[in-house]
Amino acid sequence: MAARDLRIRRVAIDTWRESVAYLHRDCESVRAAGFQALSKVTVRANGLSIAAVLNVVDDAGIVQPGELGLSEDAFVRLGLAAGSAASVAPAEPPDSLPALHRKIAGERLGREDFHAIVADIAAARYTKIELAAFVVATNGYDLEREEVLFLTEAMIDAGRRLDWQQAVRGGPVVDKHCIGGIPGNRTSMLVVPIVTAHGMLCPKTSSRAITSPAGTADTMEVLAEVEMPFERLQQIVRATNGCLAWGGTAGLSPADDILISVERPLGIDSPGQMVASILSKKIAAGSTHLVLDIPVGPSAKVRSMPAAQRLRKLFEYVATHLNLQLDVMITDGSQPIGHGIGPVLEARDVMRVLRNDPAGPADLREKALRLAGRVIEFDPDVRGGDGWRIARDILESGRALAQMEAIIDAQGRRAAPPPLGALTHEVAAARDGHVAAIDNLQLARIARLAGAPQVPGAGVDLLRKVGDRVQAGDTLYRIHACYPADAGFARDLAGHDSGYRVADATPESR
Amino acid sequence: MAARDLRIRRVAIDTWRESVAYLHRDCESVRAAGFQALSKVTVRANGLSIAAVLNVVDDAGIVQPGELGLSEDAFVRLGLAAGSAASVAPAEPPDSLPALHRKIAGERLGREDFHAIVADIAAARYTKIELAAFVVATNGYDLEREEVLFLTEAMIDAGRRLDWQQAVRGGPVVDKHCIGGIPGNRTSMLVVPIVTAHGMLCPKTSSRAITSPAGTADTMEVLAEVEMPFERLQQIVRATNGCLAWGGTAGLSPADDILISVERPLGIDSPGQMVASILSKKIAAGSTHLVLDIPVGPSAKVRSMPAAQRLRKLFEYVATHLNLQLDVMITDGSQPIGHGIGPVLEARDVMRVLRNDPAGPADLREKALRLAGRVIEFDPDVRGGDGWRIARDILESGRALAQMEAIIDAQGRRAAPPPLGALTHEVAAARDGHVAAIDNLQLARIARLAGAPQVPGAGVDLLRKVGDRVQAGDTLYRIHACYPADAGFARDLAGHDSGYRVADATPESR
């Protein structure tokens, strides 16, 4: 019961993770039943099928009546050549829709329900609207912790799972992760060299930035290749004990990647979804031991200690049931970490710390040592409390730097790292006083408007941090951009709200 | 801080109520900050601005680097000629987003919050994802009744409001409305002629079908024009006391029209949203007295009497606070009303009842008389209990028919009504017995797949109703279609599940 004999045409429109099918209004199928604009359809070709949203087109230059236009996402997902024969039918609603409706109505769902929902999401059978409905219906602490466990399990089962046990022979496969929200917080690029220099296996895959000015993958990419097939990743880990690669090609939690495309625009990052997202990816990546960083601060994701403790317990509950050794660290998230915000600037900070350069930011160094120390204490041969000292010795001796250079070489060193943005604008203090607060969110916005992370050399370089004394006219931070339009966007936003609060009281009196 | 000097281009893609801006990847603005695919942007031109979702295009045939492509919806909304100069900037988040987030978090919102949210929705500043989030967060009985009142007020305030007081000089402006869900339930086309023949003012505007096989506007359109400017509508109402027109052009509750575009695909029709949607449109249309039909049945929107009573009280609470006289009738929604499902078939049923033709469906006639009777009892000169008899007299005397003909002529009689679909398929009883149940939802689906309402002559003609005895092979209903593909879709679905249940027990034993 489908319109057949359509020819696939690639329509060069990037709809960002929503598969769109374009049919001409004069195409016979458009008249049928559910075939109005924004209806869901199933596209079938050569034994494959994908779900898509239908847009009706009146311009034969985009699609002709006998053609089936596919947006970039849909074309790639289906994976067939232009001109292939395809058919379109009104989409059957996903099997899990009744479970979604029960969740929307506030019911508690079971293990099977979450498996069905996540399988449908991973297979791209949900529309953006249905995804948004799921995200909102499972928001806040709406999910019981048992439901979070089911959601996590379902996300793991929907993707690929890596296994490093042959390499570690029963030893720990370690990882560290931060729940995010703090600009400049590039501790992974220090923790991985330190703990792998200690001899631990740490095959770290990271995400690119979605709403932040830089992800670990974006920053590492300033120095080395980060996209590689899984087989190559295995070779690198065998050679160096670790890696700092992009996790996107691994297919570890495809449902999570799709859910994120809705959570981020909504600004929703609810505890249950965060726990399921992070733990499913770590377990699918084969980690057995994880140190988790939860920063707390007025402009961080978690705003209070009680909220952080509640979130910690939820992480611990799910991790325990999934056999993941978890050590949670609640850290200071009151301001950005380090000086630079943006890939090139953050890579600079990381390399300065590795080189024991006095210009390296002390807060980034200290935080990375604390995290690395906790990871090192997963080693059964290390005494509790000795981790920080071991980590510091590895860093100060230059072994961490050597290890980083080895990982960079193994992944493929960038011959010509991207340059720092040459268009600069300095934001100055309007008055004497001291820096009382820096708004993580506003600085992240300014760095993004400057072009980060798409333009690696763009970003913000913080010259003053909380507690520093300033005089009127002193530079608080410098914006770097590569294009005049970007420079203008960022300058305007900083002019509207610098993100800094300079107050009277001396830092001593705080 | 915007990319300026872009030329508007109309992109002939129907994205159904989501404004999409298409920018070429090589356009300077695309690189900037939030300008990734699916980001929200603000389009400004000639002092006007609209919000849109950004799609990035790699085909200069769709848009060139210096152009700003607008989807049909966006182009119409902005209302400027192709080639006009425009600028694009990253969208500021709507002012009401914090209120939305508080609602998602489960908080109770105040009057100002709802006004801000609805104003942003009406101005198309919400994305589909944000709309879905609002719909889910206000789902079920999540809204306190006071919040439903605030939502209704906000919806009224966001649109145009009609005033008929000059015409009625303090008398009632009456309306009747059904919450929907019952195929064939075209009582408005009987109630309006009857009550206007009684001398009451009933300026009825109706919707087109969205997920059902026919709306009142679709069915009336078989007989007469239904789309007309408001000034013309006023003339018609002055001449005939009533009308049966499409409400879409009146702009009575623009926020509601936008919310519906998300509620329907999600299959969400929650009490609070239903009450706000219906009452805001009635009050904006100037009605002072309303009879509301709530059908109850196993495949109706409302499934039990307690649920219907709870919904009734919510309607009454809001109506009372907004000074609308409301009379709620809870009716039998256990099966479709009348014989025909689909515009041409339903118009046929209506005209048979108006002509007192014995072939007219008795259930449609009886239900319309009951509803019209209750409307007539809003007349202060009518004794309680006399309404039904007065309505029946008007119908039997032919005055209702004459009134309907007058309204048809006033609106513009269709010279050549669309024909009934000539491609037919009969669905027969598989066994002897009696018809025990008819599934409203399944029959609606079959009629839609047959082409209704886009193809007016398509639909389903029910030859047997609940309680009728049948023998194996007897025709239960006949599917009408105009196009072979549609006929195939509908036949396949009916073959999968006819929507009829034929059981042993005789109707007498029920």
Side-chain angles (χ1 to χ4, degrees):
Chain A
M1 51 178 281
R4 300 177 196 285
D5 300 329
L6 297 168
R7 292 180 315 284
I8 292 176
R9 173 166 174 171
R10 181 176 198 155
V11 177
I13 296 179
D14 180 358
T15 49
W16 204 47
R17 292 195 182 278
E18 176 138 277
S19 291
V20 176
Y22 301 94
L23 282 180
H24 197 281
R25 194 177 300 278
D26 295 338
C27 184
E28 184 161 339
S29 331
V30 172
R31 269 197 329 276
F35 277 50
Q36 63 198 60
L38 273 196
S39 281
K40 288 168 69 180
V41 293
T42 302
V43 175
R44 289 198 179 80
N46 197 23
L48 304 166
S49 78
I50 60 165
V53 163
L54 177 66
N55 277 195
V56 175
V57 175
D58 285 295
D59 178 351
I62 298 172
V63 281
Q64 293 178 8
E67 290 179 328
L68 166 66
L70 295 178
S71 66
E72 289 293 348
D73 182 83
F75 186 83
V76 169
R77 204 180 282 274
L78 193 60
L80 295 177
S84 303
S87 69
V88 178
E92 291 290 313
D95 290 342
S96 65
L97 229 45
L100 173 63
H101 285 137
R102 281 189 286 121
K103 190 71 233 173
I104 292 171
E107 290 183 36
R108 190 190 295 199
L109 299 188
R111 179 175 268 128
E112 302 307 313
D113 295 322
F114 281 102
H115 269 79
I117 289 173
V118 170
D120 279 336
I121 290 173
R125 286 191 281 261
Y126 271 32
T127 60
K128 279 263 183 268
I129 290 172
E130 287 158 352
L131 290 171
F134 178 73
V135 166
V136 172
T138 59
N139 186 44
Y141 278 96
D142 277 2
L143 289 182
E144 297 287 335
R145 62 186 193 175
E146 210 175 22
E147 292 182 283
V148 178
L149 173 59
F150 297 154
L151 177 60
T152 311
E153 288 175 344
M155 283 185 170
I156 297 168
D157 292 348
R160 183 174 176 177
R161 195 161 173 175
L162 311 185
D163 186 353
W164 304 95
Q165 285 309 310
Q166 227 187 337
V168 292
R169 295 202 186 87
V173 179
V174 301
D175 205 342
K176 85 134 265 284
H177 193 86
C178 175
I179 66 162
I182 309 298
N185 191 25
R186 280 289 80 70
T187 53
S188 292
M189 286 173 68
L190 296 163
V191 171
V192 170
I194 292 170
V195 305
T196 55
H198 179 69
M200 303 181 101
L201 196 83
C202 186
K204 179 138 191 68
T205 56
S206 307
S207 57
R208 292 185 183 283
I210 299 178
T211 56
S212 76
T216 294
D218 302 305
T219 304
M220 186 66 185
E221 201 172 32
V222 170
L223 309 170
E225 300 296 325
V226 296
E227 294 190 21
M228 57 206 78
F230 178 63
E231 293 64 32
R232 178 115 179 70
L233 207 76
Q234 281 181 307
Q235 290 172 354
I236 293 166
V237 173
R238 261 200 298 274
T240 67
N241 280 341
C243 65
L244 280 156
W246 180 52
T249 47
L252 297 178
S253 188
D256 186 52
D257 294 341
I258 292 171
L259 282 171
I260 284 174
S261 71
V262 168
E263 289 164 11
R264 299 301 161 92
L266 271 179
I268 287 183
D269 207 350
S270 69
Q273 289 151 14
M274 187 193 292
V275 169
S277 168
I278 291 173
L279 296 188
S280 69
K281 284 205 166 151
K282 295 302 164 192
I283 291 168
S287 300
T288 60
H289 293 67
L290 175 67
V291 169
L292 183 78
D293 173 15
I294 301 183
V296 180
S299 59
K301 281 189 185 177
V302 177
R303 309 268 162 122
S304 72
M305 267 318 266
Q309 294 291 6
R310 192 174 180 191
L311 181 59
R312 177 174 75 86
K313 285 174 206 301
L314 184 58
F315 267 109
E316 289 169 345
Y317 171 86
V318 174
T320 301
H321 280 78
L322 294 173
N323 256 327
L324 177 73
Q325 298 296 315
L326 176 67
D327 188 5
V328 173
M329 283 179 69
I330 297 176
T331 63
D332 175 14
S334 62
Q335 60 173 333
I337 299 287
H339 302 143
I341 302 173
V344 167
L345 288 163
E346 295 183 30
R348 178 203 65 188
D349 281 359
V350 164
M351 294 312 295
R352 281 178 177 169
V353 171
L354 284 171
R355 289 183 187 119
N356 295 297
D357 180 337
D363 58 347
L364 176 64
R365 177 181 188 277
E366 188 49 39
K367 183 169 180 182
L369 287 179
R370 286 179 60 214
L371 290 164
R374 296 284 274 266
V375 173
I376 286 171
E377 290 184 20
F378 282 140
D379 177 349
D381 298 335
V382 169
R383 280 175 66 95
D386 282 359
W388 183 86
R389 193 191 42 74
I390 295 171
R392 190 203 53 194
D393 289 349
I394 292 172
L395 180 64
E396 291 190 347
S397 67
R399 284 190 288 149
L401 176 61
Q403 180 65 13
M404 183 64 157
E405 300 289 4
I407 292 172
I408 290 172
D409 284 329
Q411 291 188 192
R413 186 180 294 271
R414 288 283 290 267
L420 187 58
L423 303 175
T424 61
H425 172 72
E426 297 194 341
V427 175
R431 49 164 291 184
D432 296 356
H434 80 284
V435 177
I438 304 177
D439 183 336
N440 291 311
L441 297 169
Q442 184 68 1
L443 271 296
R445 274 185 220 113
I446 293 166
R448 279 185 70 86
L449 282 182
Q454 285 93 335
V455 182
V460 172
D461 203 10
L462 308 182
L463 306 188
R464 306 290 172 138
K465 300 289 290 280
V466 170
D468 288 353
R469 306 187 77 123
V470 293
Q471 291 190 297
D474 283 357
T475 301
L476 297 173
Y477 57 88
R478 188 179 294 124
I479 300 171
H480 290 266
C482 295
Y483 300 97
D486 299 351
F489 286 138
R491 191 181 56 237
D492 289 355
L493 184 60
H496 178 68
D497 172 5
S498 73
Y500 270 60
R501 190 157 59 78
V502 175
D504 269 334
T506 58
E508 288 75 16
S509 74
R510 285 164 70 229
Chain B
M1 50 177 282
R4 300 176 195 287
D5 300 329
L6 297 168
R7 294 180 312 284
I8 291 175
R9 172 165 176 172
R10 181 176 198 156
V11 177
I13 296 179
D14 180 359
T15 49
W16 204 49
R17 292 193 181 283
E18 176 138 277
S19 292
V20 177
Y22 301 93
L23 281 181
H24 197 280
R25 195 176 298 279
D26 294 337
C27 185
E28 184 162 340
S29 329
V30 171
R31 267 198 330 277
F35 277 52
Q36 63 198 62
L38 274 194
S39 281
K40 290 168 67 181
V41 294
T42 301
V43 174
R44 290 199 178 78
N46 198 22
L48 303 166
S49 78
I50 60 165
V53 164
L54 176 65
N55 277 195
V56 175
V57 175
D58 285 295
D59 179 352
I62 298 171
V63 280
Q64 293 177 7
E67 290 179 330
L68 166 67
L70 295 178
S71 65
E72 289 293 347
D73 182 85
F75 187 83
V76 170
R77 203 180 284 273
L78 192 61
L80 295 177
S84 304
S87 69
V88 177
E92 292 289 314
D95 290 342
S96 65
L97 229 44
L100 172 63
H101 285 137
R102 281 189 286 121
K103 192 70 233 173
I104 291 172
E107 288 182 37
R108 190 190 294 200
L109 299 187
R111 178 175 269 129
E112 300 309 312
D113 295 322
F114 281 102
H115 270 78
I117 289 173
V118 170
D120 278 335
I121 291 173
R125 287 191 280 260
Y126 270 33
T127 60
K128 280 263 182 266
I129 290 173
E130 287 158 351
L131 290 170
F134 179 73
V135 165
V136 172
T138 59
N139 186 45
Y141 277 95
D142 278 1
L143 289 181
E144 298 286 335
R145 62 187 195 175
E146 210 176 22
E147 293 182 282
V148 177
L149 172 60
F150 297 153
L151 177 60
T152 311
E153 289 175 346
M155 283 185 169
I156 296 167
D157 291 349
R160 184 173 176 177
R161 195 160 172 174
L162 311 184
D163 186 353
W164 304 95
Q165 285 309 311
Q166 225 187 338
V168 292
R169 296 201 186 88
V173 179
V174 301
D175 205 341
K176 85 135 263 286
H177 193 85
C178 175
I179 65 162
I182 310 297
N185 191 25
R186 282 289 81 72
T187 54
S188 290
M189 288 173 67
L190 296 163
V191 171
V192 170
I194 292 171
V195 306
T196 55
H198 179 71
M200 303 180 102
L201 196 82
C202 185
K204 178 135 191 70
T205 56
S206 307
S207 58
R208 292 185 184 281
I210 300 177
T211 57
S212 74
T216 294
D218 302 304
T219 305
M220 186 66 184
E221 201 172 32
V222 170
L223 308 170
E225 299 297 325
V226 297
E227 293 190 22
M228 58 205 77
F230 177 64
E231 293 63 31
R232 176 114 181 71
L233 206 77
Q234 280 182 306
Q235 291 172 353
I236 293 166
V237 173
R238 262 200 297 274
T240 68
N241 281 339
C243 64
L244 279 155
W246 179 52
T249 48
L252 297 177
S253 188
D256 186 51
D257 295 339
I258 291 170
L259 283 172
I260 284 174
S261 71
V262 167
E263 289 164 10
R264 299 300 160 95
L266 272 179
I268 288 183
D269 207 350
S270 68
Q273 288 152 14
M274 186 193 291
V275 168
S277 168
I278 291 173
L279 295 188
S280 69
K281 283 206 165 150
K282 294 303 161 191
I283 291 168
S287 300
T288 60
H289 293 67
L290 174 67
V291 169
L292 183 77
D293 173 15
I294 301 182
V296 180
S299 59
K301 280 189 185 177
V302 178
R303 308 267 162 123
S304 72
M305 267 318 268
Q309 293 292 6
R310 191 173 181 192
L311 182 60
R312 178 175 72 86
K313 285 174 206 300
L314 183 59
F315 267 109
E316 289 169 347
Y317 172 86
V318 175
T320 300
H321 280 79
L322 294 173
N323 257 327
L324 176 74
Q325 298 295 315
L326 176 67
D327 189 3
V328 174
M329 283 181 69
I330 297 175
T331 62
D332 175 14
S334 61
Q335 60 172 333
I337 299 287
H339 301 143
I341 302 173
V344 168
L345 288 163
E346 296 182 31
R348 177 203 67 187
D349 281 359
V350 164
M351 293 311 295
R352 281 178 177 169
V353 171
L354 284 170
R355 290 182 187 121
N356 295 298
D357 179 337
D363 59 346
L364 176 64
R365 177 182 190 276
E366 187 48 40
K367 183 169 179 181
L369 286 179
R370 286 178 59 213
L371 290 164
R374 295 283 274 268
V375 174
I376 286 170
E377 290 184 20
F378 283 139
D379 178 348
D381 296 336
V382 170
R383 280 175 66 95
D386 282 0
W388 182 86
R389 192 190 43 73
I390 296 172
R392 190 204 52 195
D393 290 350
I394 291 172
L395 180 64
E396 290 190 347
S397 67
R399 282 192 287 147
L401 177 62
Q403 181 65 11
M404 182 64 155
E405 300 289 2
I407 292 172
I408 289 172
D409 283 330
Q411 293 189 192
R413 186 180 295 270
R414 287 283 290 267
L420 187 57
L423 301 175
T424 60
H425 171 73
E426 298 195 340
V427 174
R431 49 165 290 182
D432 296 357
H434 81 283
V435 177
I438 304 177
D439 183 337
N440 290 312
L441 297 169
Q442 184 67 1
L443 272 296
R445 274 186 220 112
I446 293 167
R448 278 185 72 86
L449 282 182
Q454 285 92 336
V455 182
V460 172
D461 204 10
L462 308 182
L463 306 188
R464 307 290 173 137
K465 299 291 289 281
V466 170
D468 288 354
R469 307 187 78 125
V470 293
Q471 292 189 298
D474 283 358
T475 301
L476 297 173
Y477 57 88
R478 188 178 293 124
I479 300 171
H480 290 265
C482 295
Y483 299 97
D486 300 350
F489 287 138
R491 191 180 57 236
D492 289 355
L493 183 61
H496 177 69
D497 173 4
S498 72
Y500 269 60
R501 191 158 59 78
V502 176
D504 269 334
T506 58
E508 289 75 15
S509 72
R510 286 165 70 230

